[in-house]
């Protein structure tokens, strides 16, 4: 129990993402346990809606995700998702589901929504997005 509490403190200091595997510090079972704990804290019906994307180059862009402006310097502010990359046509994200240790990668274009519960991308669902 103390080890689990220690791991939670370390992760809260370094952020919620644990993408380095194989790990020098944790076994595969430890990583699975940590991810399950993190997923229990996250809402299962979390949707990601890309309203608009303004792209100049890889260091100068803005996008509106769930009614929030995201820029290169604030791309870590997307709860439950990791931003993999941005192009002029869309943004690629990853998310670790409770069923797998492997991140699920998907790309959103403007006016598309990723529905986490169904793990699919659909066109224009504004009203169901969680803030």
């Amino acid at each position: 129990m103390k080890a689990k509490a220690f791991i939670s403190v370390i992760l809260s200091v370094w952020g919620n993402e644990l993408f380095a595997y194989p790990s020098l510090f944790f076994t595969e079972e430890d990583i699975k346990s940590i991810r399950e704990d993190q997923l229990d804290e996250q809402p299962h019906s979390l949707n990601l809606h890309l309203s608009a994307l303004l792209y100049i180059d890889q260091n100068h862009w803005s996008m509106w995700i769930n009614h929030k402006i995201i820029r290169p310097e604030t791309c870590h502010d997307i709860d439950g998702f990791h931003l993999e990359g941005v192009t002029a046509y869309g943004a690629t994200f990853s998310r670790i589901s409770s069923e797998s240790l492997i991140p699920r990668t998907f790309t959103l274009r403007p006016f598309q929504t990723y529905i986490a519960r169904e793990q699919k991308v659909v066109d224009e669902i504004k009203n169901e997005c969680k803030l």
Side-chain angles (χ1 to χ4, degrees), residues 53-70:
L53 174 65
L54 175 64
Y55 183 87
I56 298 170
D57 61 34
Q58 72 180 39
N59 296 319
H60 300 93
W61 51 264
S62 295
M63 62 181 160
W64 285 260
I65 299 283
N66 294 352
H67 307 288
K68 185 177 179 183
I69 296 176
I70 305 295

Side-chain angles (χ1 to χ4, degrees), residues 8 10-11 16-17 27 31 33 35-36 41 44 47 55 59 78 82 84 89 95-96 102 114 116-118 122 127:
S8 296
I10 295 297
L11 290 175
N16 289 333
E17 305 302 331
T27 66
I31 292 172
S33 175
R35 288 184 176 149
E36 286 173 359
E41 295 172 5
H44 294 287
N47 295 339
Y55 183 87
N59 296 319
I78 306 169
H82 177 71
E84 298 288 334
Y89 304 104
R95 181 173 189 269
I96 298 175
I102 300 170
Y114 175 75
R117 181 177 358 135
E118 298 173 15
V122 296
N127 297 333

Side-chain angles (χ1 to χ4, degrees), residues 14-31:
W14 286 338
N16 289 333
E17 305 302 331
L18 183 61
F19 290 109
Y21 188 79
S23 172
L24 295 175
F25 300 106
F26 304 112
T27 66
E28 186 174 344
E29 292 174 10
D30 293 338
I31 292 172

Side-chain angles (χ1 to χ4, degrees), residues 97-113:
S97 68
S98 58
E99 294 84 31
S100 173
L101 293 176
I102 300 170
R104 175 157 171 81
T105 303
F106 59 94
T107 300
L108 289 177
R109 293 177 307 193
F111 306 111
Q112 286 188 328
T113 301

